[in-house]
């Protein structure tokens, strides 16, 4: 079956073929990294041996064009895998565990998953300080009904889009917000469930009810896309914190570290949007994350100055946080999705998938009928 997704003369069959080739290349490349890390000492030399793989991982997503297969792959490969490889070059990060088998190394290296912490953590006195937002406790796995409800809501959104011309644009942007959140959570939960079933890894969820955030620090550090927070901390936050501590002291060092983390996140999001749209960046995405970085720095600064003497109650801070995130998203983030027709492309892919499933189911029914009536 063939279907045009967005680029002329580009079929679904070709997209699936390229998707397979991309992930075969990723598997071979990560295997190379694992075996190379055993014989090449950590540091600059190991980094140089990994450099061709990092460059390859930046190139591979250019072979994909669909919103779902392409979007998922560029996030996993160009961002998460590359950052994990950078950490491995200096014997840090989740891939540096020498006890990882090759299948577990590959899963952790190319998928947004991470093994949970031990059930008996070290005493508080032995743990490192927690100067920036991060996960401080294990999150429970959500029920199947939770994911089923979100799946039904996504299906409802697809039906609503047929009437988008009759719905106010701002309302459509709100629906897009929830659609993207539900899609990311379901996609990442499916990846985690697959890894848990095949490799026996107990995994942490990637989202923690971001609509319940009581502050920007709570939203970005503890609730939204937690794997990105985990990978940005050792690759950007910690090195910047170490440098800034020597310059301005421990108390104020987290401020430039937080801002630098948001700048790097902004650039990586710009790269992903380029993969998705193949259009020259207009830098609204960068400004979105820079703006949130500035707001978060101000929030942390105020908390340090006030020392907890004055805080908004959750009944006020929660809706205020949601309004800030969604409002700035409507202004700077979501227009970039519409710029390369992400919604229309996603709907077309849903239609192609639905037609494919219908063909498969129809073929199976006809085959069963034929076998039942054949003499």
């Amino acid at each position: 079956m063939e279907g045009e997704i967005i680029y002329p003369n580009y079929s679904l069959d070709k997209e699936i073929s390229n998707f397979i080739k991309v992930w075969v290349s990723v598997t071979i490349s990560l295997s190379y990294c694992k075996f190379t890390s055993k014989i090449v000492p950590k540091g600059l030399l190991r980094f140089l041996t990994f450099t061709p793989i990092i460059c390859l991982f930046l190139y591979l997503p250019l072979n994909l064009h669909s919103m779902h297969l392409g979007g998922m792959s560029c996030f996993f490969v160009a961002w998460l895998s590359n950052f994990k490889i950078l950490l491995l070059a200096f014997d840090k990060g989740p891939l540096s565990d020498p006890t990882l088998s090759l299948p577990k190394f590959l899963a952790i290296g190319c998928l947004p998953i991470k093994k949970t912490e031990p059930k008996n953590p070290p005493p508080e006195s032995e743990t490192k300080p927690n100067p920036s937002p991060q996960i401080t406790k294990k999150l429970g796995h959500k029920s199947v009904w939770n994911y089923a409800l979100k799946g039904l809501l996504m299906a409802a959104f697809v039906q609503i889009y047929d009437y988008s011309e009759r719905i106010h644009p701002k309302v459509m942007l709100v629906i897009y917000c929830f659609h993207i959140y539900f899609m990311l959570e379901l996609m990442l939960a499916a990846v985690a469930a697959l890894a848990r079933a095949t490799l026996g890894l107990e995994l942490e969820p990637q989202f923690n009810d971001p609509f319940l955030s009581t502050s920007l620090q709570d939203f970005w550090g503890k609730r939204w896309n937690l794997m990105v927070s985990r990978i940005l901390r050792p690759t950007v936050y910690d090195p910047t914190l170490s440098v800034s501590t020597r310059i301005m002291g421990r108390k104020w060092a987290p401020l430039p570290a937080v801002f630098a983390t948001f700048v790097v996140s902004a650039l990586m999001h710009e790269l992903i949007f380029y993969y998705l749209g193949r259009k020259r960046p207009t830098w609204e995405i960068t400004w979105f994350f820079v703006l949130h970085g500035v707001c978060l720095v101000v929030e942390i600064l105020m908390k340090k100055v006030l020392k907890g003497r004055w805080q908004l109650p959750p009944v006020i801070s929660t809706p205020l946080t949601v309004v800030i995130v969604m409002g700035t998203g409507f202004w700077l983030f979501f227009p970039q999705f519409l710029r390369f027709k992400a919604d229309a492309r996603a709907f077309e892919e849903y239609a192609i998938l639905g037609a494919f499933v219908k063909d498969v189911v129809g073929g199976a029914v006809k085959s069963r009928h034929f076998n039942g009536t054949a003499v």
Side-chain angles (χ1 to χ4, degrees):
M1 172 187 167
E2 293 189 356
E4 302 304 326
I5 296 179
I6 188 65
Y7 297 95
N9 303 319
Y10 206 88
S11 68
L12 177 63
D13 291 344
K14 186 175 181 180
E15 180 77 355
I16 293 175
S17 174
N18 284 350
F19 177 78
I20 295 172
K21 292 176 183 177
V22 164
W23 283 95
V24 169
S25 299
V26 170
T27 301
I28 295 172
S29 300
L30 284 173
S31 300
Y32 162 83
C33 290
K34 177 172 176 59
F35 291 114
T36 302
S37 65
K38 293 182 177 180
I39 59 177
V40 179
K42 66 180 180 180
L44 180 59
L45 182 58
R46 189 187 292 182
F47 169 75
L48 292 176
T49 63
F50 288 171
T51 299
I53 303 301
I54 294 172
C55 295
L56 175 65
F57 281 10
L58 291 174
Y59 164 76
L60 287 176
L62 294 173
N63 294 283
L64 300 171
H65 300 83
S66 63
M67 287 297 300
H68 293 86
L69 296 181
M72 175 184 67
S73 298
C74 68
F75 172 53
F76 290 177
V77 177
W79 188 347
L80 294 185
S81 290
N82 263 347
F83 276 40
K84 291 175 184 178
I85 291 173
L86 284 172
L87 289 173
L88 179 61
F90 300 93
D91 211 24
K92 296 180 179 180
L95 298 181
S96 63
D97 183 354
T99 65
L100 289 176
S101 64
L102 179 59
K104 290 183 179 180
F105 183 94
L106 295 175
I108 294 174
C110 64
L111 299 175
I113 59 177
K114 178 179 180 289
K115 291 192 297 185
T116 56
E117 298 299 322
K119 291 185 178 180
N120 297 316
E124 184 177 354
S125 60
E126 299 180 10
T127 59
K128 296 181 179 180
N130 184 22
S132 70
Q134 61 173 329
I135 304 303
T136 55
K137 63 178 181 178
K138 179 180 176 181
L139 303 173
H141 295 294
K142 296 182 180 179
S143 69
V144 175
W145 293 110
N146 183 288
Y147 293 122
L149 175 60
K150 288 171 181 174
L152 290 174
L153 288 173
M154 274 194 61
F157 292 157
V158 173
Q159 297 299 318
I160 290 174
Y161 295 145
D162 292 336
Y163 306 95
S164 59
E165 294 181 356
R166 306 178 186 177
I167 302 175
H168 193 279
K170 297 297 183 183
V171 176
M172 289 303 303
L173 286 176
V174 173
I175 294 175
Y176 288 150
C177 283
F178 284 99
H179 188 164
I180 291 173
Y181 163 49
F182 292 160
M183 181 181 68
L184 285 173
E185 183 165 24
L186 291 172
M187 179 182 69
L188 297 177
V191 170
L194 179 62
R196 188 183 307 120
T198 57
L199 300 174
L201 296 174
E202 187 62 26
L203 307 168
E204 293 179 335
Q206 306 303 317
F207 292 89
N208 181 26
D209 298 330
F211 48 85
L212 298 179
S213 302
T214 56
S215 66
L216 290 177
Q217 189 176 24
D218 186 32
F219 177 85
W220 290 113
K222 298 181 181 180
R223 294 184 179 275
W224 180 260
N225 210 348
L226 305 180
M227 178 54 70
V228 169
S229 298
R230 296 188 198 106
I231 203 64
L232 285 173
R233 181 178 177 84
T235 53
V236 182
Y237 179 88
D238 288 344
T240 308
L241 179 68
S242 178
V243 173
S244 57
T245 298
R246 293 195 292 267
I247 298 174
M248 56 197 311
R250 182 72 182 180
K251 181 176 181 180
W252 305 110
L255 301 182
V258 166
F259 185 73
T261 302
F262 272 84
V263 170
V264 172
S265 179
L267 296 176
M268 294 309 299
H269 277 86
E270 287 283 6
L271 178 63
I272 289 176
F273 271 62
Y274 175 77
Y275 287 135
L276 292 175
R278 310 294 162 88
K279 292 182 179 293
R280 185 186 299 273
T282 56
W283 305 109
E284 278 90 347
I285 298 298
T286 295
W287 283 114
F288 172 82
F289 285 97
V290 167
L291 175 61
H292 275 264
V294 170
C295 291
L296 188 51
V297 166
V298 171
E299 180 182 312
I300 295 173
L301 180 63
M302 291 180 62
K303 289 180 179 178
K304 287 180 177 293
V305 172
L306 295 174
K307 296 180 180 180
R309 291 192 297 267
W310 184 80
Q311 289 182 336
L312 290 173
V315 68
I316 297 176
S317 61
T318 296
L320 179 61
T321 301
V322 173
V323 167
I324 291 174
V325 173
M326 295 184 70
T328 53
F330 294 167
W331 174 31
L332 296 170
F333 194 89
F334 287 100
Q336 296 307 301
F337 272 101
L338 302 179
R339 179 174 171 239
F340 54 81
K341 301 179 180 179
D343 52 345
R345 291 166 58 187
F347 304 153
E348 188 172 354
E349 289 171 25
Y350 292 145
I352 292 172
L353 178 61
F356 175 78
V357 172
K358 184 177 180 180
D359 289 344
V360 171
V361 173
V365 172
K366 289 180 181 179
S367 177
R368 188 179 307 141
H369 178 73
F370 175 79
N371 291 333
T373 56
V375 178

